[in-house]
Amino acid sequence: MGGPCPPGHFCPAGSAAPQPCPPGTYNPIERQGVCQPCTEGFFCSGNSASLEGNECPRGFYCPAGTISPEQFPCPRGTYNPQRGSHRAEDCLPCDPGHYCDTPAQSQVTGVCSEGYYCTHSVQTQTPRQGILGDVCPPGHYCPLGSAVPHPCPAGSYSNTSGNVGSEACLACEPGQFCDRPGLATPSGPCDAGYFCVRGAQSSRPPEVTNSGGPCPAGHFCPEGSYTALACPAGTVSQSWGQIRCSDCPEGFYCPARSSNTTICPKGHYCPKGTEFAEQYPCPPGTFSGGRGATSMETCLPCPPGMFCSKPGLEKPEGFCAPGWYCPVGSVSDRPVSLPEVPGYTALSPRMCPAGKFCPQGSSYPIPCTPAHEYIKHK
């Protein structure tokens, strides 16, 4: 005949029969004219008299009035491990280094592929979503499950993308430097006055190490040097960090790799750029007893009555032979074939003429004494 409106139903005025609560509502008590909206964190499928057993499942969220457990799934790129959630914000961004490829996940799908990185909210194992995740960029490497790209360390670079491990990072080329992590190309050439070996981290290594350093004395280093270049013979570099070597100054000689000049030895002369001590000997017929001579003009002619037969003499060799006389600059104590020296004419001894005599060491013939003078003298 009629009665109180039962739970799970509502009975407006004039009801001939109880009306089931529609989906999204419920009524836990009897004698209600309307049904209540389903409480947030729960779902109400219809004709619901209680929320028991209707808690929102993992991977979903249920705002007030939810009609089914699958009505509001967490979107791709998120997951929700909790029951009873009621806000979209309860769906957590997929963890760094992981991906969530389907909606309604209660946990992450798996780890990001090697050669890729996944920061958060990534929807695929091989993302190309820019800031959220992407292929590993040049200058970096990304092992399995990378949340961010790992930069190649200073002193190395990588010009390829999708790198998996640190072995893809290349040591900086000799003559170049890589001064910071994560480089796709070397930073630039080594500065002039320095040299950079493979793996250098600075354009100006402060001291000589296994990555380079300032150019040492006796060497020069143009821009981009991978090793210190030895100064060639005839040049000198007397301090560190030189870009070029200077010409050896006159009066000195400089072998290869010279960090200091050496004074020209006796019997020789050294114009600018002289390479070794005996390069420019004083020619036969001359000598030089002093150091630091700068030109052939500083070689002294052999004195009269003496001879200088060899190049590079510090002093005359001896006296002119008896029966001969030696003018200034003579090359022997008796006639010989004379060598040709550009810019200098050597002289040979001369035979003592008739009516004259020439004892050893003669610089000119001495007239013989007339007989009457000899008798008078007697």
Side-chain angles (χ1 to χ4, degrees), residues 55-306:
E55 190 175 16
C56 199
R58 296 180 179 90
F60 297 83
Y61 63 98
C62 300
T66 298
I67 64 177
S68 72
E70 296 84 13
Q71 185 176 358
F72 298 101
C74 288
R76 291 180 64 198
T78 67
Y79 73 104
N80 186 0
Q82 304 295 327
R83 298 174 61 89
S85 299
H86 66 278
R87 300 176 303 166
E89 291 79 6
D90 294 330
C91 298
L92 305 176
C94 206
D95 294 341
H98 298 76
Y99 70 101
C100 301
D101 61 352
T102 58
Q105 291 190 209
S106 61
Q107 60 184 11
V108 298
T109 306
V111 294
C112 195
S113 289
E114 58 184 14
Y116 293 81
Y117 67 95
C118 302
T119 57
H120 61 84
S121 304
V122 171
Q123 302 174 11
T124 174
Q125 193 175 16
T126 55
R128 289 186 177 271
Q129 296 174 253
I131 193 171
L132 297 182
D134 212 330
V135 65
C136 206
H140 299 75
Y141 61 95
C142 300
L144 189 70
S146 292
V148 293
H150 300 270
C152 290
S156 67
Y157 73 100
S158 173
N159 55 10
T160 58
S161 59
N163 298 319
V164 174
S166 58
E167 64 277 1
C169 300
L170 307 174
C172 209
E173 302 293 339
Q176 305 282 317
F177 72 100
C178 300
D179 62 348
R180 61 185 183 277
L183 290 175
T185 59
S187 304
C190 196
D191 281 355
Y194 296 81
F195 68 99
C196 299
V197 301
R198 187 178 297 276
Q201 300 181 19
S202 171
S203 64
R204 296 187 171 196
E207 57 184 352
V208 177
T209 64
N210 57 2
S211 63
C215 209
H219 299 73
F220 70 103
C221 298
E223 184 182 62
S225 293
Y226 62 88
T227 187
L229 304 174
C231 287
T235 65
V236 63
S237 172
Q238 296 180 292
S239 58
W240 287 58
Q242 296 303 301
I243 300 172
R244 63 184 64 86
C245 302
S246 304
D247 288 333
C248 196
E250 58 183 14
F252 298 86
Y253 67 93
C254 302
R257 295 182 177 84
S258 287
S259 58
N260 282 300
T261 58
T262 305
I263 194 165
C264 202
K266 296 177 181 180
H268 298 75
Y269 61 96
C270 298
K272 184 168 70 173
T274 299
E275 300 176 5
F276 55 93
E278 297 80 15
Q279 187 173 4
Y280 298 103
C282 286
T286 67
F287 73 101
S288 175
R291 300 178 183 273
T294 60
S295 66
M296 191 168 62
E297 286 71 24
T298 59
C299 297
L300 302 175
C302 209
M306 306 189 81

